Amino acid sequence: MRVSTIPGPKNRFPGEIFLQVQKDPLKFFTRQHKTYPDIYRWTTGSQQVWVVSEPGLVRQLLTGKPSEFQKGRALQRSRLLLGNGLLTAEGEEHMAHRRMMQPAFRKECIQDYGIVMVEESDALVRSWAKRGVGEVDIHREMMELTFTIISRTMLGISLEQERHEISQALEQALESFQLTLLPFFDLLRRLPFPAVRRFEEAKDKLHAIVDRLVQDAEAKPPEERGILSFLDGVSDQLKSDQLLTILLAGHETTANALTFAVHLLSRHPQSVRKLQEELDSALGQRQPRADDYRRLTYTRWVVEETLRLYPPAWMVGRSNLKALDWDGYEIPERSLILAPQWILHRDNRYFSEPLEFRPQRWADIPKNEPAYFPFGGGARICIGEGFARMEAVLALATMFQKLEFEPIEVAEPELSAGITLRPKHGLKVRVVPRP
Ligand code: HEM
């Protein structure tokens, strides 16, 4: 198909679409989807950007050969922050990283991590009771919870001291991260702009902390080195990059999912009743365990429904290394191809009454529903998928066994759609004991 006949928005002045995407990406993609339901494109500078929101095309994108696709611009740029770990490596190197890290995500390991997941969720519930809290910023609390879980499961220590430093540096780096997406960032980087300096400072701080953690771990016997024990024989630089990748990729996304789950449940008391009925009948008074996961069907549906409505990874992107011909659409090489979970998960062609929170719908949704891909797909599917699902189910089960949450704000939370989808200004709820 000739490029000029392919549907898509047009820039009325150079950079107009780029600015619209930067300003409010969710609004931009939602608006375009109404006009162009399956595929569209525009041009930014010399690059074509394609958006696919038809499940078949998304599958082609995610399961395409690694030799044909690379990560999109945002993830390539996140190399600046994460170095060359599993999330950012490409091709053969990526496969080697994946093989190296896979043992830490085996089913038996996740069963063991379940103990830590419940212990930490329970400690949080008890600390709320002890502090006599009412109102909390549940996003902040969930970030702390998932950070402690990821550091204990992956490193064997809870990193309480470092938690604050890491989260501050991460916030600072993410604030300026949008800058790195600018086409001329490489030039900008050499200039003394305050935002660039803040990004560099935050990055250096994160790396200094992680380098120290790697050194500390090296001094321990192998069985106490956590995931670093799978990285024997690789350079210290690579150990640091992998550890930072796992610490960051492994806590914010799940914290966002838990935050949105609490938010949705706080507004759907009927679903809380069903959830608690399930917890009572499956667990009675005892704490949940990893081997309850299969039986906690409704709890799992709550998690899936949350990931559908508020996918923490709200869009995946790839750059194609070869020209493609998809259904007659000729996509030139090195285009940026985007597949937004945010759009497909909310499309009424694939989910009835898509904006409604209805965990029950998961009784009828097939296991590999192609319009639902919160963890991506293909060779680069999230390595932490099983970990995250287990963590979300066990944390929700532990919290809702004893507690409920009431909404404080009437309005829907304002969202920030950067690298991840999260509430823009935290999310306040009231914690109340279960009646
Ligand atoms: C609800 C929670 C989570 C969501 C929604 C999520 C989502 C995703 C998605 C969509 C990707 C693929 C990105 C792409 O194709 O460009 C991904 C990759 C990845 N995730 Fe997750 N993730 C979650 C939790 C975790 C956890 C708990 C960990 C680690 C413990 C983790 C570690 C990673 C890593 C290392 C990759 C890169 C994998 C590779 O390229 O081989 N994620 N995640």
Side-chain angles (χ1 to χ4, degrees):
M1 191 175 285
R2 279 187 24 243
V3 165
S4 58
T5 60
I6 296 165
K10 303 270 178 300
N11 277 310
R12 281 171 303 172
F13 55 85
E16 185 194 21
I17 297 177
F18 181 79
L19 290 175
Q20 285 178 5
V21 176
Q22 292 287 310
K23 191 165 164 229
D24 191 342
L26 298 180
K27 191 163 150 198
F28 173 83
F29 288 106
T30 306
R31 200 174 56 227
Q32 300 307 327
H33 181 58
K34 291 200 178 108
T35 322
Y36 314 110
D38 291 335
I39 182 164
Y40 56 96
R41 71 167 258 291
W42 73 85
T43 306
T44 286
S46 59
Q47 184 167 56
Q48 290 201 14
V49 183
W50 290 71
V51 179
V52 291
S53 34
E54 190 279 319
L57 293 174
V58 173
R59 182 160 282 188
Q60 269 177 277
L61 180 69
L62 294 178
T63 59
K65 288 198 198 102
S67 58
E68 289 178 356
F69 294 98
Q70 273 190 349
K71 289 269 171 141
R73 191 168 61 210
L75 270 168
Q76 282 180 26
R77 285 296 169 102
S78 65
R79 217 176 252 258
L80 291 174
L81 185 66
L82 298 174
N84 196 23
L86 182 56
L87 196 65
T88 45
E90 298 286 357
E92 288 292 317
E93 200 178 15
H94 167 254
M95 300 290 280
H97 286 353
R98 186 102 190 180
R99 273 193 300 273
M100 224 183 275
M101 307 290 277
Q102 200 74 55
F105 295 94
R106 277 196 311 254
K107 227 173 160 186
E108 313 83 79
C109 294
I110 291 178
Q111 293 280 319
D112 289 345
Y113 303 150
I115 298 171
V116 174
M117 292 166 181
V118 173
E119 262 176 29
E120 291 299 334
S121 307
D122 184 55
L124 178 63
V125 168
R126 280 186 288 114
S127 91
W128 282 335
K130 208 160 120 200
R131 284 187 277 158
V133 289
E135 201 175 300
V136 294
D137 174 356
I138 196 71
H139 186 237
R140 174 187 288 245
E141 304 274 337
M142 294 298 103
M143 288 284 274
E144 290 187 1
L145 172 66
T146 55
F147 187 80
T148 310
I149 293 176
I150 199 75
S151 51
R152 274 191 67 193
T153 51
M154 296 291 143
L155 266 186
I157 43 178
S158 55
L159 296 185
E160 266 187 44
Q161 268 181 337
E162 291 84 353
R163 185 176 68 201
H164 190 61
E165 279 180 284
I166 293 183
S167 62
Q168 255 187 346
L170 180 63
E171 286 299 319
Q172 193 177 328
L174 290 182
E175 252 169 43
S176 341
F177 185 74
Q178 293 296 70
L179 268 186
T180 70
L181 300 180
L182 291 172
F184 45 86
F185 180 74
D186 287 332
L187 176 68
L188 203 66
R189 216 178 157 195
R190 286 182 243 139
L191 305 172
F193 281 114
V196 175
R197 211 182 53 234
R198 279 200 301 277
F199 176 79
E200 300 285 347
E201 269 170 20
K203 186 194 79 176
D204 292 346
K205 198 182 223 173
L206 281 172
H207 282 272
I209 300 172
V210 176
D211 289 349
R212 199 177 65 224
L213 292 173
V214 169
Q215 277 170 12
D216 291 352
E218 304 278 277
K220 295 182 182 168
E223 63 281 8
E224 289 174 26
R225 288 185 205 153
I227 43 162
L228 294 173
S229 66
F230 300 115
L231 303 178
D232 255 356
V234 309
S235 69
D236 280 358
Q237 181 63 54
L238 183 53
K239 284 181 188 163
S240 291
D241 290 354
Q242 298 290 36
L243 181 59
L244 184 61
T245 299
I246 293 294
L247 287 180
L248 299 191
H251 91 283
E252 208 224 320
T253 38
T254 325
N256 297 353
L258 281 166
T259 303
F260 289 124
V262 168
H263 162 68
L264 288 163
L265 288 167
S266 73
R267 289 168 184 231
H268 293 86
Q270 293 273 35
S271 300
V272 175
R273 294 287 85 77
K274 284 200 186 123
L275 176 67
Q276 291 177 332
E277 269 165 35
E278 172 172 279
L279 298 175
D280 290 347
S281 79
L283 312 173
Q285 296 296 311
R286 74 165 169 84
Q287 286 185 340
R289 292 188 303 253
D291 59 7
D292 294 316
Y293 180 83
R294 283 273 124 231
R295 287 193 299 145
L296 296 178
T297 312
Y298 193 81
T299 320
R300 283 191 281 116
W301 289 347
V302 166
V303 171
E304 301 307 333
E305 187 67 343
T306 305
L307 294 175
R308 184 183 70 78
L309 278 170
Y310 293 103
W314 63 280
M315 177 149 84
V316 284
R318 296 286 184 272
S319 168
N320 53 321
L321 301 176
K322 293 182 187 150
L324 302 168
D325 180 348
W326 277 358
D327 297 355
Y329 291 103
E330 286 166 22
I331 306 183
E333 67 174 82
R334 302 251 167 222
S335 296
L336 175 62
I337 313 175
L338 305 172
Q341 283 97 333
W342 174 261
I343 296 298
L344 278 106
H345 290 188
R346 290 171 169 241
D347 188 329
N348 63 9
R349 292 177 295 175
Y350 313 120
F351 300 97
S352 62
E353 298 181 77
L355 303 186
E356 296 291 311
F357 175 69
R358 287 212 329 252
Q360 193 71 38
R361 75 170 80 232
W362 288 91
D364 305 316
I365 296 178
K367 193 164 185 294
N368 289 319
E369 166 57 51
Y372 178 67
F373 53 109
F375 295 97
R380 306 230 50 159
I381 195 166
C382 176
I383 200 168
E385 177 180 6
F387 183 111
R389 283 200 160 101
M390 178 65 80
E391 183 178 14
V393 163
L394 292 180
L396 286 180
T398 311
M399 290 193 285
F400 280 85
Q401 257 187 325
K402 298 205 176 115
L403 299 171
E404 290 181 8
F405 300 85
E406 290 171 356
I408 289 178
E409 310 279 345
V410 181
E412 282 294 307
E414 216 182 315
L415 301 175
S416 152
I419 300 189
T420 61
L421 182 74
R422 46 145 90 189
K424 199 173 206 163
H425 310 289
L427 208 151
K428 294 246 162 63
V429 288
R430 188 168 298 108
V431 187
V432 289
R434 194 179 154 184

